[in-house]
Amino acid sequence: MARNLLVMLGLLAGCYGFNFVMAEFIEVVYVDYINLCGLAIILAVGLNVINGLAGQFSLGHAGFMSVGAFAGAYASIMLTYGVIESGPLSFVSMGSFLLCLALSGLSAAAVGALVGAPTLRLKGDYLAIATLGFAEITRIVLTAQDAIGGPTGLKRIPKMPLLPGSEKWDGGTSTFWIYAFVCLVILLSVNLQRSTFGRALICVRENELAAETMGVRASRMKIMAFVYGAFFAGIAGCLYAHYQHSVRPDDFTTVRSIEVVVMLVLGGLGSLTGAVVGAVIVTLLPQFLRPLEESLGLSGLSMVVYAALLLLMMLFRPQGIFGQRELSLKLLRRLVPGGGKESRP
Amino acid sequence: MDFTQLLQNMTNGVAKGSCYALVAVGYTMVYGVLQLINFAHSDVYMLGAYFAYWPAKWMGYLPDEKGGRAQDVPLALVGLFVVGSMAACAAVGALIERAAYRPLRHSGRLAPLITAIGVSLLLEYGGQMVFGTEPRLFPTFVEAQSYDVAGVKFANTSIIIVVTAAVLMGALTLFVNHTRQGRALRAVSHSFNNARLMGINVNATITMTFMLGSSLAAVGGILVAMDQPTITPLMGLRMGLKAFVAAVLGGIGSIPGAALGGLLLGVSESVVAYWSTTYSEAVAFLILIGVLLVRPAGILGSSAREKV
């Protein structure tokens, strides 16, 4: 525990430094890419616990994200300006921001529990369709709420709070906040995979009946997985809303849920490293394809490339880039010729 | 409460539901045989509309840029376009099965599901690349008319939709229940291995299933396009989800179930639309979750317990 806290503090300091290096030396476009990658990583690592570890194929991650985004954005606007109307953007205070993050994480987690509980009885493709249905219902319900702007959503969401020493920079502190949560979710998930809970989830994935026989409470584990994944999706939603300064219900369509699944499948379902790598690839790919798309006048090219990648992956390497392996010193040692001393059992 | 309006909504719902049913049949047959949600099915439906659109465009039955009026397509040509589109979609369906699903037939259930999502994305956005993103006006296959019965309007397109759907579903039921190939289909959906032991060519039967489902989806696409009357490459997205819900509601694997589910869904959506059009979009998903919780086998389906 103490060790983890220390690691997290170190990582936070790293993120703090990273933020200013980026704001100072890197072009704004690339800063944007890096921030988007961070958001995608939070989503993918969270979903990996549901889809990868627990083996519950959920296709509704955008739904959880939207709940967090709207809860956090609404709270933030109310705490900062007190009313929803147009005006110049200002910074949300640190305390309010942390409150908003907690609120969005918890509200999404509550929805996760709500979704997890009834859909537990479903397996495989039925579960996929049911979660997809839940996400769509969420989107439709959000669209119908006039208090949060209806179909046009919320605008003028404040900027993420300043940090000590960041006042003189113009670049904002989004990178710090996003990557702080990237570090948190990765650290937690690494620990989770090695914990009793993580092993119980894997157990449920491999054989639910056998897991039950061994005393693993499968239903409870599955709900916990949904709560965990949804919590971080909510956080990612809140960060996304503050980063973009506006959210619409249509930002969270089925396509976005599928995008997160593609990240996992590409990297390897069940591998944390895979989730991170997949998130980065899927986020950067369309950015680099965009110039090509525009010069050829072919809209939809990046989605076609996604789809093709997904198909080729399934046909030729269904386990994804990493399979269920993780990037570790052991794996690196094996990759170096002659370095792999230990033989696999 | 305005009963005439409500009745009007319900009649529209029957037409909408017939289209759902036509597409749902494809989902239900494939699921019955392969236990796979063929996400790409709704995009075959979209292709069906485009395959009828292009020949009509090439032959000059669409308004040109100068704003000339669209011409009506002669009935014989309409028939030709519909049959052509059905054949083309059947080919696409068979191709999808052969290229994407068959190699993964023995690798669990997740891999084909993800592949299906991939094929669906490929067709949707590939469609955007090839056909363009903008909605296109569909040629006039029949002159729009409507008949007034006690204040309720019956559009002739709605009547054509319902009759066509009923005829096709009837024909399909006859085919499945009273022909050799139909019997093979039922055998394969009952048990893969036993069917093979009985000398049934399983692969050919599965290909046939995809072709049948795809050609019905093509008709569905054309009917909806006639009614709308615009088409876009993403028109399959919403239809696909709803048709799948219809299939689950009626009982997946059951052809009469698909018809029943489609009609029920269409009518209930239209009834809810009487109060709120926004929430009528959510009806399908509420029904879906309700059915999955209360009776996962659907209205006409039979449930099988998993054995240890």
Side-chain angles (χ1 to χ4, degrees), chain A residues 265-279:
Chain A
V265 172
L266 212 61
L269 260 177
S271 158
L272 211 149
T273 325
V276 174
V277 172

Side-chain angles (χ1 to χ4, degrees), chain A residues 112-180:
Chain A
L114 217 70
V115 175
T119 47
L120 280 178
R121 302 168 36 177
L122 309 171
K123 288 203 182 77
D125 25 20
Y126 274 111
L127 179 74
I129 282 282
T131 46
L132 197 160
F134 261 114
E136 277 296 292
I137 291 176
T138 312
R139 189 175 64 80
I140 292 162
V141 170
L142 286 175
T143 311
Q145 305 308 313
D146 290 328
I148 51 167
T152 51
L154 290 169
K155 293 189 187 73
R156 202 172 64 122
I157 300 166
K159 299 182 199 170
M160 294 190 212
L162 289 167
L163 295 166
S166 70
E167 293 86 353
K168 55 179 185 286
W169 268 286
D170 222 25
T173 53
S174 309
T175 313
F176 167 78
W177 288 103
I178 291 171
Y179 276 85

Side-chain angles (χ1 to χ4, degrees), chain A:
Chain A
M1 191 65 202
R3 188 170 150 256
N4 282 330
L5 273 179
L6 221 60
V7 171
M8 192 60 215
L9 278 178
L11 288 172
L12 279 181
C15 293
Y16 185 75
F18 184 47
N19 186 59
F20 297 122
V21 171
M22 296 249 309
E24 190 74 341
F25 297 110
I26 298 182
E27 266 184 72
V28 183
V29 194
Y30 296 112
V31 174
D32 186 42
Y33 294 172
I34 290 172
N35 288 341
L36 291 177
C37 281
L39 289 170
I41 292 172
I42 303 177
L43 284 172
V45 171
L47 187 66
N48 186 41
V49 172
I50 307 177
N51 285 22
L53 286 191
Q56 305 299 304
F57 197 79
S58 164
L59 258 184
H61 220 51
F64 302 135
M65 190 183 172
S66 69
V67 171
F70 275 93
Y74 187 74
S76 176
I77 289 175
M78 283 302 164
L79 287 170
T80 311
Y81 313 117
V83 279
I84 297 180
E85 35 178 67
S86 54
L89 282 179
S90 56
F91 291 94
V92 59
S93 73
M94 181 86 82
S96 316
F97 187 56
L98 290 177
L99 193 70
C100 295
L101 281 170
L103 184 72
S104 51
L106 291 177
S107 55
V111 175
L114 217 70
V115 175
T119 47
L120 280 178
R121 302 168 36 177
L122 309 171
K123 288 203 182 77
D125 25 20
Y126 274 111
L127 179 74
I129 282 282
T131 46
L132 197 160
F134 261 114
E136 277 296 292
I137 291 176
T138 312
R139 189 175 64 80
I140 292 162
V141 170
L142 286 175
T143 311
Q145 305 308 313
D146 290 328
I148 51 167
T152 51
L154 290 169
K155 293 189 187 73
R156 202 172 64 122
I157 300 166
K159 299 182 199 170
M160 294 190 212
L162 289 167
L163 295 166
S166 70
E167 293 86 353
K168 55 179 185 286
W169 268 286
D170 222 25
T173 53
S174 309
T175 313
F176 167 78
W177 288 103
I178 291 171
Y179 276 85
F181 280 96
V182 168
C183 293
L184 181 69
V185 74
I186 291 178
L187 191 66
L188 278 178
S189 303
V190 168
N191 283 325
L192 185 140
Q193 284 192 356
R194 297 175 183 159
S195 70
T196 326
F197 174 48
R199 303 222 186 274
L201 287 183
I202 294 173
C203 211
V204 170
R205 174 186 76 196
E206 294 302 324
N207 189 333
E208 201 175 321
L209 206 71
E212 287 268 9
T213 327
M214 301 308 289
V216 173
R217 284 194 268 179
S219 319
R220 200 172 148 161
M221 291 299 136
K222 286 196 251 174
I223 295 186
M224 294 286 285
F226 265 100
V227 168
Y228 183 92
F231 180 84
F232 280 103
I235 297 271
C238 184
L239 290 169
Y240 171 81
H242 283 84
Y243 181 59
Q244 301 282 344
H245 308 306
S246 71
V247 275
R248 291 176 307 129
D250 283 352
D251 290 341
F252 307 102
T253 51
T254 312
V255 175
R256 170 152 314 220
S257 301
I258 291 178
E259 227 172 62
V260 189
V261 171
V262 174
M263 295 171 191
L264 292 189
V265 172
L266 212 61
L269 260 177
S271 158
L272 211 149
T273 325
V276 174
V277 172
V280 172
I281 295 177
V282 170
T283 313
L284 292 186
L285 199 66
Q287 314 291 352
F288 289 112
L289 284 175
R290 192 169 299 151
L292 190 66
E293 200 168 86
E294 273 161 14
S295 66
L296 294 177
L298 294 172
S299 64
L301 179 68
S302 58
M303 287 304 284
V304 170
V305 173
Y306 270 0
L309 259 180
L310 199 63
L311 283 178
L312 292 175
M313 210 68 198
M314 276 297 119
L315 291 173
F316 299 109
R317 195 176 163 80
Q319 70 272 41
I321 298 173
F322 281 86
Q324 286 177 1
R325 275 192 300 270
E326 299 294 349
L327 186 67
S328 62
L329 289 176
K330 250 192 222 164
L331 184 69
L332 283 180
R333 227 177 288 146
R334 263 221 313 279
L335 289 178
V336 179
K341 286 203 186 74
E342 67 270 312
S343 54
R344 303 197 66 174

Side-chain angles (χ1 to χ4, degrees), chain B residues 221-267:
Chain B
I222 294 169
L223 290 175
V224 170
M226 270 166 52
D227 202 38
Q228 287 292 336
T230 51
I231 53 177
T232 72
L234 297 185
M235 68 191 269
L237 260 177
R238 185 159 292 165
M239 176 52 126
L241 286 170
K242 292 189 175 165
F244 181 75
V245 173
V248 172
L249 174 62
I252 205 135
S254 151
I255 292 170
L260 182 67
L263 286 177
L264 277 177
L265 179 62
V267 172

